[in-house]
């Protein structure tokens, strides 16, 4: 039985969107069934219109991805969350979606599931690690099992050496992640899928697995 992996993200100009696609590819390569979902946009149209890259991405590639629902969280055996940094913290759009998951948390439906995080910022020291650590606080409350990159493969060093999760300094104007960083995101997705598969097998009764 394949593990279910949910890759859910917010992206303004496209960098996190591309990382999310790579994480999904990695999880699929490890045998997981994957749902790629974006969270709803909260910013007003005039804010997006002030940044042509933001407006172009929102109307283009972003519009082809389904919007995440709580049912996706319940479906999944493992989670990958992606976000740009906002003053060293996650984007409000992603946090708003997470904040709606209280009922699932109260029912224990988010616990004992592996979770990993990836991020992009304009600058290398623009809050990448603090953003991941901020999201991790949520997962402690969920009772989830945090799966960092660690220094578990040479690709982590090649992609900048962030053991917390794949991160991309997009610059300004924004540039898409390079192939090394995308390979790191694929590795992260595959790593998550392996843990999700192991933990799912542990939770599945032998009779159900055979049936």
């Amino acid at each position: 039985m394949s593990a279910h992996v949910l890759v859910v993200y917010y992206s303004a100009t496209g960098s996190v969107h591309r990382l999310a696609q790579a994480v999904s590819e990695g999880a699929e390569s490890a045998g997981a069934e994957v749902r790629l979902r974006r969270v709803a946009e909260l910013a007003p149209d005039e804010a997006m219109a002030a940044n042509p890259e933001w407006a172009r991405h929102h109307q283009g590639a972003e519009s082809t991805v389904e919007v995440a629902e709580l049912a996706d969280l319940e479906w999944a055996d493992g989670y990958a969350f992606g976000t740009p940094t906002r003053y060293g913290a996650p984007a409000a759009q992603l946090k708003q979606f997470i904040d709606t998951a209280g009922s699932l948390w109260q029912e224990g439906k988010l616990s004992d599931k592996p979770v990993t995080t990836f991020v992009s910022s304009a600058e290398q020291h623009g809050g990448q690690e603090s953003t991941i650590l901020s999201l991790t606080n949520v997962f402690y409350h969920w009772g989830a099992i945090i799966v960092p990159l660690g220094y578990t493969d040479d690709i982590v060093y090649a992609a900048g050496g962030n053991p917390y999760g794949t991160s991309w300094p997009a610059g300004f104007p924004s540039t898409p992640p390079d192939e090394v960083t995308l390979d790191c995101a694929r590795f992260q997705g595959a790593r998550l899928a392996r843990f999700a598969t192991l933990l799912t097998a542990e939770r599945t009764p032998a009779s159900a697995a055979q049936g």
Side-chain angles (χ1 to χ4, degrees), residues 8-10 39-40 42 81-84 86 89-102 131 134-139 142:
V8 60
Y9 71 96
Y10 173 72
V39 297
L42 304 178
F81 287 92
T83 181
R86 292 292 184 265
Q93 289 87 340
L94 182 65
K95 188 59 167 61
Q96 192 272 344
F97 173 70
I98 288 172
D99 287 348
T100 66
T131 297
S134 178
L135 270 178
T136 301
N137 287 331
V138 173
F139 309 140
W142 284 6

Side-chain angles (χ1 to χ4, degrees), residues 115-151:
V115 60
T116 199
T117 306
F118 53 98
V119 68
S120 180
S121 62
E123 306 298 337
Q124 185 172 4
H125 300 292
Q128 294 177 345
E129 294 179 2
S130 65
T131 297
I132 291 175
L133 291 171
S134 178
L135 270 178
T136 301
N137 287 331
V138 173
F139 309 140
Y140 289 134
H141 285 256
W142 284 6
I145 299 166
I146 297 163
V147 180
L149 273 177
Y151 294 114

Side-chain angles (χ1 to χ4, degrees), residues 129 148-158 160-164 187 191:
E129 294 179 2
L149 273 177
Y151 294 114
T152 54
D153 191 273
D154 287 345
I155 192 62
V156 179
Y157 295 96
N162 187 344
Y164 300 96
F187 172 75
R191 180 170 163 81

